[in-house]
């Protein structure tokens, strides 16, 4: 298993707000309109699962497998070309600010590691950037 970690992102909202929003995927409805249709073809979710079709990767579905309030939400792939685990750690900085880091553990075949490590790291950082910009009210 290969491990990819995002940079730590500061979020100008309390830890509890961030956790509450990330631990219920129905909250993705608030950002649905911001998802570029050229990047994601399908975007379906419920409280525990999100599925999307990302050209040229294909369909990716992840499911929440663990909630550790208010500091961590863990996800696992249900449907993906490459199996992975993803967890979002949320820690308080002060009463109105928190910090977040995303970690992905992917089952990347050894022969593909050199080719996919850079794009995977870039994707993890982009997801962290996007999550840091959501209003967690």
């Amino acid at each position: 298993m290969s491990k990819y970690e995002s940079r730590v992102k500061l979020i100008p909202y309390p830890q509890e707000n961030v956790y509450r929003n990330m631990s219920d995927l129905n909250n993705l409805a608030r950002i649905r309109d911001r998802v570029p249709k050229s990047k994601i073809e399908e975007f379906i979710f419920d409280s525990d699962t999100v599925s999307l079709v990302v050209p040229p990767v294909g369909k990716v579905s992840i499911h929440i497998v663990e909630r550790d309030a208010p500091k961590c939400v863990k996800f696992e792939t249900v449907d993906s070309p490459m199996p992975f685990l993803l967890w979002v750690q949320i820690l308080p900085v002060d009463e109105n600010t928190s910090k977040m880091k995303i970690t992905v553990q992917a089952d990347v075949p050894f022969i593909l590691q050199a080719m996919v490590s850079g794009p995977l790291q870039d994707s993890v950082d982009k997801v962290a950037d996007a999550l840091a910009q959501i209003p967690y009210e």
Side-chain angles (χ1 to χ4, degrees), residues 3-133:
K3 192 181 217 179
Y4 305 90
E5 295 180 327
S6 73
R7 294 178 297 277
V8 174
K9 297 292 182 179
L10 287 177
I11 301 175
Y13 293 94
Q15 177 187 26
E16 293 78 17
N17 290 29
V18 178
Y19 175 82
R20 182 179 64 247
N21 281 274
M22 286 196 189
S23 64
D24 180 356
L25 297 177
N26 282 316
N27 291 309
L28 291 171
R30 297 181 324 172
I31 62 161
R32 178 182 285 214
D33 296 337
R34 290 196 242 172
V35 176
K37 300 210 184 319
S38 62
K39 304 266 185 200
I40 297 176
E41 292 178 356
E42 290 182 34
F43 189 43
I44 303 165
F45 50 86
D46 60 30
S47 62
D48 295 322
T49 305
V50 62
S51 297
L52 36 99
V53 175
V54 183
V57 174
K59 184 175 182 180
V60 177
S61 296
I62 59 173
H63 182 78
I64 294 176
V65 293
E66 185 179 333
R67 291 174 175 93
D68 185 8
K71 59 186 176 183
C72 187
V73 182
K74 293 184 180 181
F75 301 84
E76 183 174 31
T77 53
V78 177
D79 188 9
S80 173
M82 184 182 326
F84 64 88
L85 300 169
L86 179 148
W87 55 98
V88 180
Q89 296 167 288
I90 310 152
L91 295 172
V93 173
D94 59 35
E95 62 185 35
N96 296 311
T97 308
S98 54
K99 58 185 177 179
M100 173 199 62
K101 181 172 90 170
I102 296 176
T103 303
V104 172
Q105 199 168 12
D107 191 11
V108 180
F110 179 76
I111 198 158
L112 296 177
Q113 283 183 354
M115 185 171 61
V116 301
S117 287
L120 273 173
Q121 182 63 55
D122 188 49
S123 295
V124 170
D125 286 329
K126 285 181 180 178
V127 169
D129 289 342
L131 290 177
Q133 295 176 21

